[in-house]
Amino acid sequence: MTVDLDLLENLMKTTQTHSCQFILHLNKKEYVLNNVSISNSPTPVKSPTTRGGVYFSDKFAYKLKGTISDLSVVPLLTKTMLGPNTEFGEIKITTQIETDGQKKDLSIYANLTNSVQGPSKIELNMIIIKLQYN
């Protein structure tokens, strides 16, 4: 699980200073992801382990948090989260960032770690596993 740290730092700076649009792609549908924040947080892993087919060795992980107002996504999310499944499903999120004075399309691949549903939105917490320019 290697993530390009320079690209990730650029993405974190961009989300703090600009309003980027993030689109979550799931089951051939698109959902706008609002209030996106990306942080480097400690994980509960104390030693290398495998969880749901995903190998964890880092004591810190880059986490992405965001909300979706379209609650029709809820049944699709249960197929991606560890718990009802034996493996994490990979979630794709796309956005644009500016690098070297040019806007570039970026795909973020993440694992859903948990979600909190309210009456009008669902908050998603994910761990970033891969970044890729399109």
Side-chain angles (χ1 to χ4, degrees), residues 3-18 20-22 36-38 62 64 93-99 104 106-109 128 130-131 133:
V3 175
D4 181 338
L5 296 179
D6 291 334
L7 181 53
L8 193 54
E9 291 295 327
N10 187 12
L11 177 62
M12 288 173 67
K13 286 178 189 171
T14 302
T15 58
Q16 291 170 354
T17 58
H18 298 86
C20 299
Q21 182 179 19
F22 291 84
V36 172
S37 65
I38 299 171
Y62 285 91
L64 186 145
I93 300 162
T94 56
T95 190
Q96 274 192 340
I97 64 169
E98 192 169 315
T99 180
K104 293 186 177 182
L106 179 69
S107 292
I108 304 164
Y109 296 90
I128 296 172
K130 182 172 60 172
L131 299 171
Y133 283 120

PDB file of all heavy atoms in Angstrom, residues 3-18 20-22 36-38 62 64 93-99 104 106-109 128 130-131 133:
ATOM      1  N   VAL A   3       1.544   5.086  -1.339  1.00  0.00           N
ATOM      2  CA  VAL A   3       0.871   6.270  -1.860  1.00  0.00           C
ATOM      3  C   VAL A   3       1.944   7.305  -2.158  1.00  0.00           C
ATOM      4  O   VAL A   3       2.874   7.484  -1.373  1.00  0.00           O
ATOM      5  CB  VAL A   3      -0.145   6.819  -0.823  1.00  0.00           C
ATOM      6  CG1 VAL A   3      -0.761   8.110  -1.295  1.00  0.00           C
ATOM      7  CG2 VAL A   3      -1.229   5.804  -0.528  1.00  0.00           C
ATOM      8  N   ASP A   4       1.845   7.969  -3.311  1.00  0.00           N
ATOM      9  CA  ASP A   4       2.769   9.035  -3.670  1.00  0.00           C
ATOM     10  C   ASP A   4       2.567  10.188  -2.682  1.00  0.00           C
ATOM     11  O   ASP A   4       1.581  10.925  -2.757  1.00  0.00           O
ATOM     12  CB  ASP A   4       2.491   9.479  -5.113  1.00  0.00           C
ATOM     13  CG  ASP A   4       3.425  10.573  -5.584  1.00  0.00           C
ATOM     14  OD1 ASP A   4       4.007  11.300  -4.758  1.00  0.00           O
ATOM     15  OD2 ASP A   4       3.554  10.705  -6.809  1.00  0.00           O
ATOM     16  N   LEU A   5       3.506  10.331  -1.733  1.00  0.00           N
ATOM     17  CA  LEU A   5       3.344  11.307  -0.652  1.00  0.00           C
ATOM     18  C   LEU A   5       3.377  12.749  -1.148  1.00  0.00           C
ATOM     19  O   LEU A   5       2.663  13.598  -0.614  1.00  0.00           O
ATOM     20  CB  LEU A   5       4.391  11.073   0.434  1.00  0.00           C
ATOM     21  CG  LEU A   5       4.284   9.739   1.158  1.00  0.00           C
ATOM     22  CD1 LEU A   5       5.380   9.604   2.201  1.00  0.00           C
ATOM     23  CD2 LEU A   5       2.918   9.577   1.799  1.00  0.00           C
ATOM     24  N   ASP A   6       4.175  13.048  -2.179  1.00  0.00           N
ATOM     25  CA  ASP A   6       4.206  14.407  -2.721  1.00  0.00           C
ATOM     26  C   ASP A   6       2.856  14.771  -3.325  1.00  0.00           C
ATOM     27  O   ASP A   6       2.329  15.868  -3.111  1.00  0.00           O
ATOM     28  CB  ASP A   6       5.303  14.552  -3.775  1.00  0.00           C
ATOM     29  CG  ASP A   6       6.703  14.477  -3.180  1.00  0.00           C
ATOM     30  OD1 ASP A   6       6.852  14.797  -1.980  1.00  0.00           O
ATOM     31  OD2 ASP A   6       7.636  14.096  -3.909  1.00  0.00           O
ATOM     32  N   LEU A   7       2.296  13.851  -4.072  1.00  0.00           N
ATOM     33  CA  LEU A   7       0.988  14.070  -4.680  1.00  0.00           C
ATOM     34  C   LEU A   7      -0.083  14.216  -3.598  1.00  0.00           C
ATOM     35  O   LEU A   7      -0.956  15.075  -3.685  1.00  0.00           O
ATOM     36  CB  LEU A   7       0.647  12.914  -5.624  1.00  0.00           C
ATOM     37  CG  LEU A   7      -0.672  12.981  -6.369  1.00  0.00           C
ATOM     38  CD1 LEU A   7      -0.839  14.278  -7.126  1.00  0.00           C
ATOM     39  CD2 LEU A   7      -0.793  11.787  -7.307  1.00  0.00           C
ATOM     40  N   LEU A   8       0.016  13.401  -2.571  1.00  0.00           N
ATOM     41  CA  LEU A   8      -0.951  13.462  -1.467  1.00  0.00           C
ATOM     42  C   LEU A   8      -0.856  14.784  -0.712  1.00  0.00           C
ATOM     43  O   LEU A   8      -1.878  15.394  -0.381  1.00  0.00           O
ATOM     44  CB  LEU A   8      -0.725  12.287  -0.521  1.00  0.00           C
ATOM     45  CG  LEU A   8      -1.804  12.028   0.498  1.00  0.00           C
ATOM     46  CD1 LEU A   8      -3.173  11.880  -0.134  1.00  0.00           C
ATOM     47  CD2 LEU A   8      -1.485  10.787   1.289  1.00  0.00           C
ATOM     48  N   GLU A   9       0.353  15.250  -0.465  1.00  0.00           N
ATOM     49  CA  GLU A   9       0.534  16.548   0.205  1.00  0.00           C
ATOM     50  C   GLU A   9      -0.038  17.676  -0.659  1.00  0.00           C
ATOM     51  O   GLU A   9      -0.677  18.594  -0.142  1.00  0.00           O
ATOM     52  CB  GLU A   9       2.020  16.801   0.490  1.00  0.00           C
ATOM     53  CG  GLU A   9       2.603  15.893   1.554  1.00  0.00           C
ATOM     54  CD  GLU A   9       2.013  16.100   2.937  1.00  0.00           C
ATOM     55  OE1 GLU A   9       1.653  17.239   3.290  1.00  0.00           O
ATOM     56  OE2 GLU A   9       1.900  15.100   3.682  1.00  0.00           O
ATOM     57  N   ASN A  10       0.165  17.604  -1.978  1.00  0.00           N
ATOM     58  CA  ASN A  10      -0.400  18.592  -2.897  1.00  0.00           C
ATOM     59  C   ASN A  10      -1.924  18.560  -2.831  1.00  0.00           C
ATOM     60  O   ASN A  10      -2.585  19.599  -2.793  1.00  0.00           O
ATOM     61  CB  ASN A  10       0.097  18.325  -4.319  1.00  0.00           C
ATOM     62  CG  ASN A  10      -0.309  19.402  -5.301  1.00  0.00           C
ATOM     63  OD1 ASN A  10      -0.783  20.469  -4.922  1.00  0.00           O
ATOM     64  ND2 ASN A  10      -0.126  19.123  -6.572  1.00  0.00           N
ATOM     65  N   LEU A  11      -2.501  17.364  -2.802  1.00  0.00           N
ATOM     66  CA  LEU A  11      -3.949  17.214  -2.705  1.00  0.00           C
ATOM     67  C   LEU A  11      -4.470  17.797  -1.388  1.00  0.00           C
ATOM     68  O   LEU A  11      -5.486  18.495  -1.370  1.00  0.00           O
ATOM     69  CB  LEU A  11      -4.341  15.735  -2.827  1.00  0.00           C
ATOM     70  CG  LEU A  11      -5.817  15.404  -2.680  1.00  0.00           C
ATOM     71  CD1 LEU A  11      -6.650  16.075  -3.766  1.00  0.00           C
ATOM     72  CD2 LEU A  11      -6.026  13.895  -2.711  1.00  0.00           C
ATOM     73  N   MET A  12      -3.764  17.529  -0.292  1.00  0.00           N
ATOM     74  CA  MET A  12      -4.192  18.058   1.011  1.00  0.00           C
ATOM     75  C   MET A  12      -4.171  19.589   1.015  1.00  0.00           C
ATOM     76  O   MET A  12      -5.112  20.225   1.483  1.00  0.00           O
ATOM     77  CB  MET A  12      -3.298  17.504   2.126  1.00  0.00           C
ATOM     78  CG  MET A  12      -3.542  16.036   2.412  1.00  0.00           C
ATOM     79  SD  MET A  12      -2.355  15.315   3.575  1.00  0.00           S
ATOM     80  CE  MET A  12      -2.763  16.178   5.075  1.00  0.00           C
ATOM     81  N   LYS A  13      -3.120  20.179   0.460  1.00  0.00           N
ATOM     82  CA  LYS A  13      -3.020  21.639   0.389  1.00  0.00           C
ATOM     83  C   LYS A  13      -4.133  22.206  -0.482  1.00  0.00           C
ATOM     84  O   LYS A  13      -4.734  23.230  -0.158  1.00  0.00           O
ATOM     85  CB  LYS A  13      -1.661  22.058  -0.156  1.00  0.00           C
ATOM     86  CG  LYS A  13      -0.536  21.884   0.816  1.00  0.00           C
ATOM     87  CD  LYS A  13       0.780  22.268   0.175  1.00  0.00           C
ATOM     88  CE  LYS A  13       1.938  21.884   1.076  1.00  0.00           C
ATOM     89  NZ  LYS A  13       3.231  22.040   0.421  1.00  0.00           N
ATOM     90  N   THR A  14      -4.391  21.551  -1.607  1.00  0.00           N
ATOM     91  CA  THR A  14      -5.424  22.017  -2.533  1.00  0.00           C
ATOM     92  C   THR A  14      -6.792  21.999  -1.870  1.00  0.00           C
ATOM     93  O   THR A  14      -7.571  22.942  -2.014  1.00  0.00           O
ATOM     94  CB  THR A  14      -5.439  21.156  -3.813  1.00  0.00           C
ATOM     95  OG1 THR A  14      -4.157  21.220  -4.423  1.00  0.00           O
ATOM     96  CG2 THR A  14      -6.482  21.638  -4.795  1.00  0.00           C
ATOM     97  N   THR A  15      -7.107  20.945  -1.117  1.00  0.00           N
ATOM     98  CA  THR A  15      -8.431  20.861  -0.482  1.00  0.00           C
ATOM     99  C   THR A  15      -8.583  21.891   0.631  1.00  0.00           C
ATOM    100  O   THR A  15      -9.692  22.301   0.942  1.00  0.00           O
ATOM    101  CB  THR A  15      -8.710  19.451   0.084  1.00  0.00           C
ATOM    102  OG1 THR A  15      -7.701  19.100   1.016  1.00  0.00           O
ATOM    103  CG2 THR A  15      -8.796  18.423  -1.020  1.00  0.00           C
ATOM    104  N   GLN A  16      -7.467  22.331   1.228  1.00  0.00           N
ATOM    105  CA  GLN A  16      -7.536  23.330   2.284  1.00  0.00           C
ATOM    106  C   GLN A  16      -7.689  24.748   1.738  1.00  0.00           C
ATOM    107  O   GLN A  16      -8.305  25.590   2.372  1.00  0.00           O
ATOM    108  CB  GLN A  16      -6.290  23.265   3.170  1.00  0.00           C
ATOM    109  CG  GLN A  16      -6.227  22.007   4.010  1.00  0.00           C
ATOM    110  CD  GLN A  16      -4.875  21.850   4.699  1.00  0.00           C
ATOM    111  OE1 GLN A  16      -3.943  22.611   4.467  1.00  0.00           O
ATOM    112  NE2 GLN A  16      -4.775  20.837   5.544  1.00  0.00           N
ATOM    113  N   THR A  17      -7.127  24.999   0.556  1.00  0.00           N
ATOM    114  CA  THR A  17      -7.113  26.366   0.038  1.00  0.00           C
ATOM    115  C   THR A  17      -8.103  26.619  -1.103  1.00  0.00           C
ATOM    116  O   THR A  17      -8.420  27.755  -1.386  1.00  0.00           O
ATOM    117  CB  THR A  17      -5.706  26.744  -0.462  1.00  0.00           C
ATOM    118  OG1 THR A  17      -5.302  25.820  -1.475  1.00  0.00           O
ATOM    119  CG2 THR A  17      -4.702  26.731   0.672  1.00  0.00           C
ATOM    120  N   HIS A  18      -8.565  25.580  -1.761  1.00  0.00           N
ATOM    121  CA  HIS A  18      -9.493  25.729  -2.889  1.00  0.00           C
ATOM    122  C   HIS A  18     -10.710  24.839  -2.664  1.00  0.00           C
ATOM    123  O   HIS A  18     -10.630  23.849  -1.969  1.00  0.00           O
ATOM    124  CB  HIS A  18      -8.833  25.299  -4.212  1.00  0.00           C
ATOM    125  CG  HIS A  18      -7.648  26.119  -4.573  1.00  0.00           C
ATOM    126  ND1 HIS A  18      -6.392  25.843  -4.103  1.00  0.00           N
ATOM    127  CD2 HIS A  18      -7.523  27.215  -5.359  1.00  0.00           C
ATOM    128  CE1 HIS A  18      -5.536  26.737  -4.593  1.00  0.00           C
ATOM    129  NE2 HIS A  18      -6.202  27.576  -5.351  1.00  0.00           N
ATOM    130  N   CYS A  20     -12.513  22.202  -4.208  1.00  0.00           N
ATOM    131  CA  CYS A  20     -12.451  21.194  -5.267  1.00  0.00           C
ATOM    132  C   CYS A  20     -13.765  20.429  -5.284  1.00  0.00           C
ATOM    133  O   CYS A  20     -14.404  20.253  -4.256  1.00  0.00           O
ATOM    134  CB  CYS A  20     -11.327  20.197  -5.008  1.00  0.00           C
ATOM    135  SG  CYS A  20      -9.706  20.927  -4.948  1.00  0.00           S
ATOM    136  N   GLN A  21     -14.128  19.954  -6.459  1.00  0.00           N
ATOM    137  CA  GLN A  21     -15.297  19.093  -6.556  1.00  0.00           C
ATOM    138  C   GLN A  21     -14.821  17.647  -6.556  1.00  0.00           C
ATOM    139  O   GLN A  21     -13.939  17.280  -7.324  1.00  0.00           O
ATOM    140  CB  GLN A  21     -16.104  19.372  -7.818  1.00  0.00           C
ATOM    141  CG  GLN A  21     -17.347  18.513  -7.902  1.00  0.00           C
ATOM    142  CD  GLN A  21     -18.180  18.799  -9.137  1.00  0.00           C
ATOM    143  OE1 GLN A  21     -17.715  19.370 -10.110  1.00  0.00           O
ATOM    144  NE2 GLN A  21     -19.419  18.377  -9.088  1.00  0.00           N
ATOM    145  N   PHE A  22     -15.394  16.850  -5.664  1.00  0.00           N
ATOM    146  CA  PHE A  22     -15.062  15.437  -5.559  1.00  0.00           C
ATOM    147  C   PHE A  22     -16.277  14.620  -5.975  1.00  0.00           C
ATOM    148  O   PHE A  22     -17.394  14.890  -5.526  1.00  0.00           O
ATOM    149  CB  PHE A  22     -14.681  15.067  -4.124  1.00  0.00           C
ATOM    150  CG  PHE A  22     -13.371  15.652  -3.686  1.00  0.00           C
ATOM    151  CD1 PHE A  22     -13.301  16.944  -3.194  1.00  0.00           C
ATOM    152  CD2 PHE A  22     -12.203  14.906  -3.765  1.00  0.00           C
ATOM    153  CE1 PHE A  22     -12.096  17.484  -2.789  1.00  0.00           C
ATOM    154  CE2 PHE A  22     -10.989  15.441  -3.365  1.00  0.00           C
ATOM    155  CZ  PHE A  22     -10.934  16.737  -2.874  1.00  0.00           C
ATOM    156  N   VAL A  36     -15.158  17.675   2.021  1.00  0.00           N
ATOM    157  CA  VAL A  36     -14.054  16.717   2.006  1.00  0.00           C
ATOM    158  C   VAL A  36     -12.871  17.263   2.808  1.00  0.00           C
ATOM    159  O   VAL A  36     -12.479  18.416   2.651  1.00  0.00           O
ATOM    160  CB  VAL A  36     -13.622  16.400   0.557  1.00  0.00           C
ATOM    161  CG1 VAL A  36     -12.363  15.558   0.531  1.00  0.00           C
ATOM    162  CG2 VAL A  36     -14.755  15.701  -0.177  1.00  0.00           C
ATOM    163  N   SER A  37     -12.334  16.403   3.666  1.00  0.00           N
ATOM    164  CA  SER A  37     -11.100  16.727   4.372  1.00  0.00           C
ATOM    165  C   SER A  37     -10.183  15.514   4.306  1.00  0.00           C
ATOM    166  O   SER A  37     -10.644  14.373   4.311  1.00  0.00           O
ATOM    167  CB  SER A  37     -11.381  17.119   5.820  1.00  0.00           C
ATOM    168  OG  SER A  37     -11.901  16.024   6.538  1.00  0.00           O
ATOM    169  N   ILE A  38      -8.896  15.798   4.219  1.00  0.00           N
ATOM    170  CA  ILE A  38      -7.892  14.736   4.149  1.00  0.00           C
ATOM    171  C   ILE A  38      -6.891  14.994   5.263  1.00  0.00           C
ATOM    172  O   ILE A  38      -6.414  16.114   5.434  1.00  0.00           O
ATOM    173  CB  ILE A  38      -7.185  14.721   2.781  1.00  0.00           C
ATOM    174  CG1 ILE A  38      -8.207  14.454   1.679  1.00  0.00           C
ATOM    175  CG2 ILE A  38      -6.081  13.683   2.757  1.00  0.00           C
ATOM    176  CD1 ILE A  38      -7.687  14.631   0.282  1.00  0.00           C
ATOM    177  N   TYR A  62      -3.469   7.932   5.670  1.00  0.00           N
ATOM    178  CA  TYR A  62      -4.110   9.136   5.160  1.00  0.00           C
ATOM    179  C   TYR A  62      -5.595   8.845   5.026  1.00  0.00           C
ATOM    180  O   TYR A  62      -5.994   7.909   4.342  1.00  0.00           O
ATOM    181  CB  TYR A  62      -3.491   9.552   3.825  1.00  0.00           C
ATOM    182  CG  TYR A  62      -2.141  10.182   4.026  1.00  0.00           C
ATOM    183  CD1 TYR A  62      -0.990   9.418   4.005  1.00  0.00           C
ATOM    184  CD2 TYR A  62      -2.031  11.545   4.285  1.00  0.00           C
ATOM    185  CE1 TYR A  62       0.257   9.998   4.215  1.00  0.00           C
ATOM    186  CE2 TYR A  62      -0.793  12.131   4.492  1.00  0.00           C
ATOM    187  CZ  TYR A  62       0.338  11.348   4.463  1.00  0.00           C
ATOM    188  OH  TYR A  62       1.565  11.929   4.682  1.00  0.00           O
ATOM    189  N   LEU A  64      -9.616  10.140   4.354  1.00  0.00           N
ATOM    190  CA  LEU A  64     -10.465  11.066   3.627  1.00  0.00           C
ATOM    191  C   LEU A  64     -11.852  10.984   4.243  1.00  0.00           C
ATOM    192  O   LEU A  64     -12.372   9.887   4.469  1.00  0.00           O
ATOM    193  CB  LEU A  64     -10.514  10.688   2.152  1.00  0.00           C
ATOM    194  CG  LEU A  64     -11.254  11.651   1.229  1.00  0.00           C
ATOM    195  CD1 LEU A  64     -10.554  11.688  -0.123  1.00  0.00           C
ATOM    196  CD2 LEU A  64     -12.677  11.241   1.030  1.00  0.00           C
ATOM    197  N   ILE A  93     -12.752   7.895  -6.270  1.00  0.00           N
ATOM    198  CA  ILE A  93     -13.187   9.283  -6.147  1.00  0.00           C
ATOM    199  C   ILE A  93     -12.341  10.089  -7.123  1.00  0.00           C
ATOM    200  O   ILE A  93     -11.123   9.908  -7.179  1.00  0.00           O
ATOM    201  CB  ILE A  93     -12.978   9.795  -4.711  1.00  0.00           C
ATOM    202  CG1 ILE A  93     -13.777   8.940  -3.729  1.00  0.00           C
ATOM    203  CG2 ILE A  93     -13.356  11.263  -4.595  1.00  0.00           C
ATOM    204  CD1 ILE A  93     -13.330   9.069  -2.303  1.00  0.00           C
ATOM    205  N   THR A  94     -12.973  10.968  -7.888  1.00  0.00           N
ATOM    206  CA  THR A  94     -12.223  11.789  -8.840  1.00  0.00           C
ATOM    207  C   THR A  94     -12.323  13.258  -8.467  1.00  0.00           C
ATOM    208  O   THR A  94     -13.312  13.706  -7.876  1.00  0.00           O
ATOM    209  CB  THR A  94     -12.716  11.585 -10.287  1.00  0.00           C
ATOM    210  OG1 THR A  94     -14.117  11.848 -10.347  1.00  0.00           O
ATOM    211  CG2 THR A  94     -12.440  10.172 -10.761  1.00  0.00           C
ATOM    212  N   THR A  95     -11.288  14.006  -8.828  1.00  0.00           N
ATOM    213  CA  THR A  95     -11.247  15.443  -8.602  1.00  0.00           C
ATOM    214  C   THR A  95     -10.230  16.044  -9.559  1.00  0.00           C
ATOM    215  O   THR A  95      -9.598  15.320 -10.333  1.00  0.00           O
ATOM    216  CB  THR A  95     -10.889  15.779  -7.134  1.00  0.00           C
ATOM    217  OG1 THR A  95     -11.091  17.175  -6.908  1.00  0.00           O
ATOM    218  CG2 THR A  95      -9.466  15.389  -6.797  1.00  0.00           C
ATOM    219  N   GLN A  96     -10.069  17.355  -9.495  1.00  0.00           N
ATOM    220  CA  GLN A  96      -9.033  18.047 -10.276  1.00  0.00           C
ATOM    221  C   GLN A  96      -8.152  18.807  -9.302  1.00  0.00           C
ATOM    222  O   GLN A  96      -8.653  19.429  -8.365  1.00  0.00           O
ATOM    223  CB  GLN A  96      -9.645  19.050 -11.239  1.00  0.00           C
ATOM    224  CG  GLN A  96     -10.050  18.493 -12.548  1.00  0.00           C
ATOM    225  CD  GLN A  96     -10.373  19.603 -13.551  1.00  0.00           C
ATOM    226  OE1 GLN A  96     -10.634  20.731 -13.185  1.00  0.00           O
ATOM    227  NE2 GLN A  96     -10.349  19.255 -14.820  1.00  0.00           N
ATOM    228  N   ILE A  97      -6.853  18.728  -9.522  1.00  0.00           N
ATOM    229  CA  ILE A  97      -5.936  19.548  -8.730  1.00  0.00           C
ATOM    230  C   ILE A  97      -5.027  20.316  -9.666  1.00  0.00           C
ATOM    231  O   ILE A  97      -4.827  19.931 -10.813  1.00  0.00           O
ATOM    232  CB  ILE A  97      -5.102  18.712  -7.729  1.00  0.00           C
ATOM    233  CG1 ILE A  97      -4.170  17.736  -8.443  1.00  0.00           C
ATOM    234  CG2 ILE A  97      -5.978  18.000  -6.737  1.00  0.00           C
ATOM    235  CD1 ILE A  97      -3.156  17.093  -7.513  1.00  0.00           C
ATOM    236  N   GLU A  98      -4.487  21.416  -9.151  1.00  0.00           N
ATOM    237  CA  GLU A  98      -3.577  22.223  -9.951  1.00  0.00           C
ATOM    238  C   GLU A  98      -2.151  21.894  -9.537  1.00  0.00           C
ATOM    239  O   GLU A  98      -1.805  21.925  -8.360  1.00  0.00           O
ATOM    240  CB  GLU A  98      -3.856  23.711  -9.738  1.00  0.00           C
ATOM    241  CG  GLU A  98      -3.149  24.578 -10.740  1.00  0.00           C
ATOM    242  CD  GLU A  98      -3.606  26.014 -10.707  1.00  0.00           C
ATOM    243  OE1 GLU A  98      -4.833  26.231 -10.656  1.00  0.00           O
ATOM    244  OE2 GLU A  98      -2.739  26.886 -10.720  1.00  0.00           O
ATOM    245  N   THR A  99      -1.357  21.540 -10.516  1.00  0.00           N
ATOM    246  CA  THR A  99       0.049  21.256 -10.271  1.00  0.00           C
ATOM    247  C   THR A  99       0.864  21.834 -11.422  1.00  0.00           C
ATOM    248  O   THR A  99       0.475  21.696 -12.576  1.00  0.00           O
ATOM    249  CB  THR A  99       0.296  19.737 -10.093  1.00  0.00           C
ATOM    250  OG1 THR A  99       1.673  19.509  -9.857  1.00  0.00           O
ATOM    251  CG2 THR A  99      -0.157  18.921 -11.256  1.00  0.00           C
ATOM    252  N   LYS A 104      -5.082  19.064 -13.422  1.00  0.00           N
ATOM    253  CA  LYS A 104      -4.983  17.660 -13.816  1.00  0.00           C
ATOM    254  C   LYS A 104      -6.080  16.866 -13.117  1.00  0.00           C
ATOM    255  O   LYS A 104      -6.421  17.138 -11.964  1.00  0.00           O
ATOM    256  CB  LYS A 104      -3.625  17.081 -13.424  1.00  0.00           C
ATOM    257  CG  LYS A 104      -2.472  17.682 -14.189  1.00  0.00           C
ATOM    258  CD  LYS A 104      -1.182  16.962 -13.855  1.00  0.00           C
ATOM    259  CE  LYS A 104      -0.032  17.521 -14.674  1.00  0.00           C
ATOM    260  NZ  LYS A 104       1.216  16.805 -14.396  1.00  0.00           N
ATOM    261  N   LEU A 106      -7.468  13.717 -11.235  1.00  0.00           N
ATOM    262  CA  LEU A 106      -6.857  12.802 -10.283  1.00  0.00           C
ATOM    263  C   LEU A 106      -7.904  11.802  -9.795  1.00  0.00           C
ATOM    264  O   LEU A 106      -9.030  12.179  -9.494  1.00  0.00           O
ATOM    265  CB  LEU A 106      -6.314  13.588  -9.089  1.00  0.00           C
ATOM    266  CG  LEU A 106      -5.653  12.792  -7.977  1.00  0.00           C
ATOM    267  CD1 LEU A 106      -4.327  12.198  -8.455  1.00  0.00           C
ATOM    268  CD2 LEU A 106      -5.416  13.677  -6.764  1.00  0.00           C
ATOM    269  N   SER A 107      -7.517  10.534  -9.742  1.00  0.00           N
ATOM    270  CA  SER A 107      -8.365   9.494  -9.155  1.00  0.00           C
ATOM    271  C   SER A 107      -7.781   9.109  -7.809  1.00  0.00           C
ATOM    272  O   SER A 107      -6.575   8.889  -7.683  1.00  0.00           O
ATOM    273  CB  SER A 107      -8.420   8.257 -10.050  1.00  0.00           C
ATOM    274  OG  SER A 107      -9.110   8.545 -11.236  1.00  0.00           O
ATOM    275  N   ILE A 108      -8.651   9.042  -6.826  1.00  0.00           N
ATOM    276  CA  ILE A 108      -8.286   8.638  -5.480  1.00  0.00           C
ATOM    277  C   ILE A 108      -8.980   7.305  -5.228  1.00  0.00           C
ATOM    278  O   ILE A 108     -10.186   7.193  -5.427  1.00  0.00           O
ATOM    279  CB  ILE A 108      -8.770   9.665  -4.433  1.00  0.00           C
ATOM    280  CG1 ILE A 108      -8.223  11.046  -4.758  1.00  0.00           C
ATOM    281  CG2 ILE A 108      -8.410   9.217  -3.024  1.00  0.00           C
ATOM    282  CD1 ILE A 108      -8.937  12.177  -4.040  1.00  0.00           C
ATOM    283  N   TYR A 109      -8.225   6.313  -4.809  1.00  0.00           N
ATOM    284  CA  TYR A 109      -8.805   5.015  -4.483  1.00  0.00           C
ATOM    285  C   TYR A 109      -8.722   4.851  -2.975  1.00  0.00           C
ATOM    286  O   TYR A 109      -7.669   5.104  -2.371  1.00  0.00           O
ATOM    287  CB  TYR A 109      -8.074   3.892  -5.210  1.00  0.00           C
ATOM    288  CG  TYR A 109      -8.229   4.007  -6.709  1.00  0.00           C
ATOM    289  CD1 TYR A 109      -7.322   4.724  -7.474  1.00  0.00           C
ATOM    290  CD2 TYR A 109      -9.312   3.422  -7.344  1.00  0.00           C
ATOM    291  CE1 TYR A 109      -7.485   4.850  -8.841  1.00  0.00           C
ATOM    292  CE2 TYR A 109      -9.486   3.546  -8.726  1.00  0.00           C
ATOM    293  CZ  TYR A 109      -8.562   4.254  -9.455  1.00  0.00           C
ATOM    294  OH  TYR A 109      -8.739   4.376 -10.814  1.00  0.00           O
ATOM    295  N   ILE A 128      -7.115   6.292   2.271  1.00  0.00           N
ATOM    296  CA  ILE A 128      -6.610   6.394   0.901  1.00  0.00           C
ATOM    297  C   ILE A 128      -5.578   5.294   0.674  1.00  0.00           C
ATOM    298  O   ILE A 128      -4.645   5.134   1.458  1.00  0.00           O
ATOM    299  CB  ILE A 128      -5.987   7.781   0.650  1.00  0.00           C
ATOM    300  CG1 ILE A 128      -7.070   8.861   0.777  1.00  0.00           C
ATOM    301  CG2 ILE A 128      -5.312   7.838  -0.722  1.00  0.00           C
ATOM    302  CD1 ILE A 128      -6.535  10.282   0.734  1.00  0.00           C
ATOM    303  N   LYS A 130      -4.509   4.608  -2.866  1.00  0.00           N
ATOM    304  CA  LYS A 130      -3.784   4.849  -4.116  1.00  0.00           C
ATOM    305  C   LYS A 130      -4.254   6.158  -4.727  1.00  0.00           C
ATOM    306  O   LYS A 130      -5.428   6.515  -4.651  1.00  0.00           O
ATOM    307  CB  LYS A 130      -4.046   3.673  -5.070  1.00  0.00           C
ATOM    308  CG  LYS A 130      -3.337   3.741  -6.387  1.00  0.00           C
ATOM    309  CD  LYS A 130      -3.476   2.479  -7.213  1.00  0.00           C
ATOM    310  CE  LYS A 130      -4.892   2.128  -7.542  1.00  0.00           C
ATOM    311  NZ  LYS A 130      -5.042   1.017  -8.491  1.00  0.00           N
ATOM    312  N   LEU A 131      -3.339   6.874  -5.385  1.00  0.00           N
ATOM    313  CA  LEU A 131      -3.636   8.077  -6.154  1.00  0.00           C
ATOM    314  C   LEU A 131      -3.109   7.879  -7.559  1.00  0.00           C
ATOM    315  O   LEU A 131      -2.040   7.301  -7.745  1.00  0.00           O
ATOM    316  CB  LEU A 131      -2.948   9.308  -5.542  1.00  0.00           C
ATOM    317  CG  LEU A 131      -3.330   9.675  -4.117  1.00  0.00           C
ATOM    318  CD1 LEU A 131      -2.408  10.772  -3.597  1.00  0.00           C
ATOM    319  CD2 LEU A 131      -4.763  10.112  -4.037  1.00  0.00           C
ATOM    320  N   TYR A 133      -3.003   9.927 -11.582  1.00  0.00           N
ATOM    321  CA  TYR A 133      -3.421  10.920 -12.573  1.00  0.00           C
ATOM    322  C   TYR A 133      -4.147  10.207 -13.701  1.00  0.00           C
ATOM    323  O   TYR A 133      -3.768   9.106 -14.093  1.00  0.00           O
ATOM    324  CB  TYR A 133      -2.225  11.660 -13.156  1.00  0.00           C
ATOM    325  CG  TYR A 133      -1.655  12.723 -12.244  1.00  0.00           C
ATOM    326  CD1 TYR A 133      -0.348  12.657 -11.807  1.00  0.00           C
ATOM    327  CD2 TYR A 133      -2.448  13.787 -11.833  1.00  0.00           C
ATOM    328  CE1 TYR A 133       0.175  13.628 -10.972  1.00  0.00           C
ATOM    329  CE2 TYR A 133      -1.930  14.773 -11.008  1.00  0.00           C
ATOM    330  CZ  TYR A 133      -0.628  14.687 -10.580  1.00  0.00           C
ATOM    331  OH  TYR A 133      -0.113  15.650  -9.757  1.00  0.00           O
TER     332      TYR A 133
END
